[in-house]
Amino acid sequence: DAGITQSPRHKVTETGTPVTLRCHQTENHRYMYWYRQDPGHGLRLIHYSYGVKDTDKGEVSDGYSVSRSKTEDFLLTLESATSSQTSVYFCAISEPGVTVRETQYFGPGTRLLVL
Amino acid sequence: DQQVKQNSPSLSVQEGRISILNCDYTNSMFDYFLWYKKYPAEGPTFLISISSIKDKNEDGRFTVFLNKSAKHLSLHIVPSQPGDSAVYFCAASGRDTDKLIFGTGTRLQVFP
């Protein structure tokens, strides 16, 4: 299994509060991703990073920001949590090879409930 | 606009039989396809992939078939086992991108 941890694993918060989720990897992979999983939507990309301090938006980035100051850590911040951000959040990593596309490996997930 | 579609939300198969999970895509630029398996309270795990230069890829009990003209791929599991009970996600990516587009998933239940 790829060395990916996410913290916290579970969180309950109130609407309007800021929340930060952490993804930590020990694989030294260059690419990191944040997804959310919701019923009827599958996995949707929020933000991704292709290197330290290099990030870009995904499909559902509104209301989220990210930071990557070290190769091993990728932080996802909900600036002001809303009930629509109640979801399960997954971090993933990949290492580009000869081709651009390489398999992504996922962390265990963080279950977030916004009341 | 759902570019990757898994039209069957669930599938129930008897142990020992074949499980066939289907996935359709709309973007003709997709040329790399993956299947992930997800157990409850865990992250998705990579199962098998296929490049558009192939029409079949096999790994043990798992085989993925790609029909480019129909923009359709399928995952065959033979024989199905109770431990295969999980949600299966199909994913696709296009040329010159490192992003994956996921389907909505199919829940497979294998019963004795």
Side-chain angles (χ1 to χ4, degrees):
Chain A
D1 289 345
I4 311 169
T5 56
Q6 293 184 232
S7 57
R9 293 293 313 278
H10 302 271
K11 185 167 182 69
V12 181
T13 192
E14 293 186 349
T15 297
T17 60
V19 176
T20 295
L21 309 183
R22 180 183 184 234
C23 176
H24 178 79
Q25 58 142 332
T26 57
E27 306 296 321
N28 202 37
H29 281 13
R30 189 151 51 106
Y31 283 41
M32 298 185 76
Y33 311 80
W34 276 108
Y35 290 88
R36 58 179 288 175
Q37 185 199 358
D38 304 289
H41 290 279
L43 290 148
R44 293 181 292 174
L45 183 65
I46 305 171
H47 281 280
Y48 67 106
S49 168
Y50 37 94
V52 173
K53 297 187 179 176
D54 284 328
T55 64
D56 205 349
K57 296 179 179 180
E59 178 187 359
V60 289
S61 59
D62 287 347
Y64 301 94
S65 63
V66 290
S67 66
R68 189 162 178 210
S69 58
K70 298 185 289 186
T71 299
E72 57 266 34
D73 289 326
F74 193 31
L75 304 181
L76 176 71
T77 297
L78 289 65
E79 305 289 347
S80 177
T82 68
S83 59
S84 65
Q85 293 175 312
T86 291
S87 186
V88 182
Y89 291 86
F90 290 102
C91 173
I93 65 174
S94 70
E95 180 60 31
V98 174
T99 61
V100 175
R101 281 79 48 76
E102 295 295 337
T103 301
Q104 293 184 19
Y105 297 93
F106 285 80
T110 293
R111 187 174 294 273
L112 176 67
L113 175 61
V114 183
L115 299 174
Chain B
D1 179 30
Q2 193 80 25
Q3 297 186 69
V4 178
K5 301 177 184 179
Q6 295 178 256
N7 292 316
S8 298
S10 63
L11 176 68
S12 189
V13 172
Q14 189 172 31
E15 181 178 5
R17 301 273 193 164
I18 183 172
S19 296
I20 300 176
L21 295 92
N22 294 305
C23 179
D24 297 296
Y25 61 97
T26 58
N27 191 337
S28 58
M29 296 299 288
F30 287 154
D31 64 349
Y32 185 61
F33 305 90
L34 307 89
W35 284 94
Y36 283 84
K37 174 181 179 180
K38 185 184 178 307
Y39 292 120
E42 295 183 11
T45 55
F46 170 71
L47 194 55
I48 192 169
S49 63
I50 188 167
S51 165
S52 61
I53 61 173
K54 297 184 176 182
D55 54 18
K56 176 183 173 181
N57 188 27
E58 191 172 353
D59 184 2
R61 296 186 298 114
F62 302 92
T63 303
V64 56
F65 294 92
L66 176 62
N67 182 333
K68 290 183 287 295
S69 61
K71 293 190 179 67
H72 176 83
L73 65 155
S74 60
L75 174 68
H76 293 211
I77 306 174
V78 182
S80 300
Q81 299 174 354
D84 296 329
S85 297
V87 176
Y88 290 79
F89 290 100
C90 166
S93 72
R95 298 179 184 89
D96 300 327
T97 179
D98 39 62
K99 299 179 192 176
L100 292 179
I101 306 297
F102 284 84
T104 52
T106 296
R107 182 177 303 277
L108 173 66
Q109 181 180 10
V110 180
F111 60 93

